[in-house]
Amino acid sequence: MALNLGFVDSIVFDANGLVPVIAQQFDSGEVLMMAWMNRAALEATLADGQVRYWSRSRKQLWRKGERSGQFQRLVELRVDCDGDTLLLRVDQTGAACHTGQRSCFFRGFLDGDWHTLSEPISDPEALYGDDR
Amino acid sequence: MALNLGFVDSIVFDANGLVPVIAQQFDSGEVLMMAWMNRAALEATLADGQVRYWSRSRKQLWRKGERSGQFQRLVELRVDCDGDTLLLRVDQTGAACHTGQRSCFFRGFLDGDWHTLSEPISDPEALYGDDR
């Protein structure tokens, strides 16, 4: 690929080679999820605009939506003042959350406990089958 | 205080007792910053609505704005599907960033390098003096 990725050197990855990433729907401003990238995930994302993350539990790269079809297309990449957190402004297809909700942040604290603020927009079983 | 904080037990703190926290301006949707909380920071925040974080470098609680006067008032607390990331919808006084910018995410990637997308709204020296 022809991309000059030298700018990635200015990003501060942690001791595990990861950087926290916030995904935000570019037009509505909704915060969809928080996940992690390593350098390879970021470079692959920049190469074709399809967002990849690093799964800390599975220890592998994953393309957001590869199983569910609920992809994220990168619209704009931002970095914070310290260079150690990324903000991805994305266009999210369908549900960002494996629960079927649009955003992973669908629970809010009210009157001493968590409450569900928004219902699923997709059936998680239809998205993932039994193999969630 | 009279708050029932048993719900905090459902939050998944990491091996260092911390949870990543995204601060978002409640009305505009702007993502302001990412920082960390321990249990004490969250409980203190909930007690009076003034947002506290845990400084990993200084290893102490800090009240956002305690030196700069650029406070964050908690409007709504959300948690993600896995219980391991918090989203704080806040009302930010002035600049969230120590650089004087409204948001810490003021640099965007364009044509192979980072570019400043928004200028400071306050003079950092006026906010912090020499002791930044």
Side-chain angles (χ1 to χ4, degrees), chain A residues 25-132:
Chain A
Q25 175 66 28
F26 80 101
D27 47 5
S28 69
E30 187 175 21
V31 175
L32 299 168
M33 56 183 284
M34 205 285 280
W36 298 81
M37 282 185 172
N38 59 8
R39 186 175 178 123
L42 179 58
E43 290 186 356
T45 297
L46 289 167
D48 65 6
Q50 290 291 331
V51 177
R52 274 81 153 188
Y53 296 105
W54 176 257
S55 168
R56 295 180 301 169
S57 55
R58 289 180 280 128
K59 300 189 192 314
Q60 62 183 43
L61 281 191
W62 54 290
R63 183 160 71 112
K64 176 69 184 166
E66 64 188 2
R67 289 178 48 226
S68 65
Q70 313 289 278
F71 297 102
Q72 280 179 358
R73 181 176 64 81
L74 180 65
V75 175
E76 185 188 29
L77 171 64
R78 295 190 189 174
V79 67
D80 77 346
C81 50
D82 298 324
D84 62 3
T85 307
L86 301 179
L87 173 64
L88 266 59
R89 292 169 64 86
V90 302
D91 194 11
Q92 170 73 51
T93 302
C97 192
H98 72 285
T99 60
Q101 260 99 346
R102 172 75 174 166
S103 162
C104 292
F105 296 95
F106 59 84
R107 287 184 294 159
F109 178 67
L110 196 69
D111 295 334
D113 210 346
W114 299 114
H115 293 264
T116 296
L117 303 174
S118 56
E119 298 303 319
I121 59 172
S122 300
D123 177 357
E125 276 205 28
L127 295 179
Y128 296 94
D130 294 334
D131 182 32
R132 248 193 295 173

Side-chain angles (χ1 to χ4, degrees), chain A residues 7 10 20 22 24 29 31 34 46 76-81 85 87 97-98 104-105 107-109 112 114 117, chain B residues 7 10 20 22 24 29 31 34 46 76-81 85 87 97-98 104-105 107-109 112 114 117:
Chain A
F7 82 99
S10 66
I22 303 162
Q24 179 184 35
V31 175
M34 205 285 280
L46 289 167
E76 185 188 29
L77 171 64
R78 295 190 189 174
V79 67
D80 77 346
C81 50
T85 307
L87 173 64
C97 192
H98 72 285
C104 292
F105 296 95
R107 287 184 294 159
F109 178 67
W114 299 114
L117 303 174
Chain B
F7 82 98
S10 66
I22 303 162
Q24 180 184 35
V31 175
M34 205 285 279
L46 288 167
E76 185 187 29
L77 171 65
R78 295 190 188 173
V79 67
D80 77 346
C81 50
T85 307
L87 174 63
C97 191
H98 73 284
C104 291
F105 296 95
R107 287 183 295 159
F109 178 67
W114 299 113
L117 303 174

